[in-house]
Amino acid sequence: MSSDDGVLRVAFAGVHRQLNQNPGSHNWATGFCRVPETRAVAVYDLKTEVREQFRNCWKGTWGDIEPFDDYQKMLDQTEPDIVCIATHQSTHADEGVAAAHAGVRGIVCDKQLTTTLQEADRMLGAIRDAKVPFAFGTEQRWSEPHRKLIKMLREGLVGEITAVLAMGVT
């Protein structure tokens, strides 16, 4: 799956909020573009114009990005290492299961995770069975209190961090 140069191939699904290069809500592409070991190889979105806007926005960073209107076809044809799922939450479970079955090496999914507990169980079960690392991203990463905490943690507030679990409201 990964390219010969060790770069991880990323496929983006659902990109209507990732059409500019400014960091912000739901814009996962801005994070991935700052990681030299990743490259966008595919974009899936139901809307042709949104796929094209994404491709045009990120062309200078990653070159040509293959567009798809069929999620499974994107997985099959591009064999991504990482899938970033930012589609409607009603499709997250099917997309997460399909990515796990396709052999991806990592999945990032934004909120809401799914629309029912049964969907969440099915999705997370497939991801666990495939032993695929999974990251669930929420809006909190952009809030000022969370950004301040992240800064303090990076400055050594508690030593080496191996995991973070956060709950609550701001």
Side-chain angles (χ1 to χ4, degrees):
M1 282 201 187
S2 61
S3 61
D4 292 336
D5 58 4
V7 172
L8 296 170
R9 301 162 42 83
V10 182
F12 291 88
V15 295
H16 70 282
R17 292 186 175 145
Q18 302 179 65
L19 304 178
N20 65 63
Q21 294 195 11
N22 300 318
S25 176
H26 298 277
N27 195 343
W28 295 99
T30 60
F32 278 105
C33 83
R34 287 168 174 78
V35 179
E37 297 84 12
T38 63
R39 182 180 76 223
V41 295
V43 57
Y44 160 77
D45 200 281
L46 293 177
K47 295 182 178 177
T48 303
E49 64 273 11
V50 172
R51 289 191 305 268
E52 289 308 308
Q53 288 173 330
F54 182 87
R55 293 176 74 212
N56 289 335
C57 175
W58 296 103
K59 188 175 192 170
T61 302
W62 287 308
D64 195 32
I65 301 167
E66 196 168 352
F68 291 89
D69 63 1
D70 181 300
Y71 181 79
Q72 187 63 53
K73 190 178 211 181
M74 176 189 72
L75 294 174
D76 294 343
Q77 289 185 5
T78 63
E79 298 181 334
D81 296 299
I82 299 170
V83 174
C84 178
I85 300 172
T87 54
H88 191 271
Q89 63 266 19
S90 64
T91 63
H92 287 182
D94 290 339
E95 292 162 351
V97 169
H101 290 164
V104 301
R105 295 172 54 191
I107 299 170
V108 176
C109 184
D110 75 1
K111 61 110 183 153
Q112 306 297 327
L113 181 60
T114 59
T115 56
T116 69
L117 290 175
Q118 292 82 7
E119 288 176 350
D121 288 343
R122 183 169 58 88
M123 177 183 181
L124 297 174
I127 290 168
R128 265 190 233 104
D129 289 348
K131 295 182 172 74
V132 176
F134 176 76
F136 177 55
T138 66
E139 291 298 300
Q140 299 305 319
R141 69 189 184 281
W142 302 111
S143 73
E144 193 55 40
H146 285 85
R147 291 172 66 132
K148 183 177 180 180
L149 176 60
I150 289 167
K151 181 178 184 294
M152 292 180 344
L153 291 170
R154 286 185 175 145
E155 291 171 351
L157 177 67
V158 296
E160 181 182 3
I161 299 170
T162 59
V164 176
L165 174 64
M167 296 181 193
V169 293
T170 56

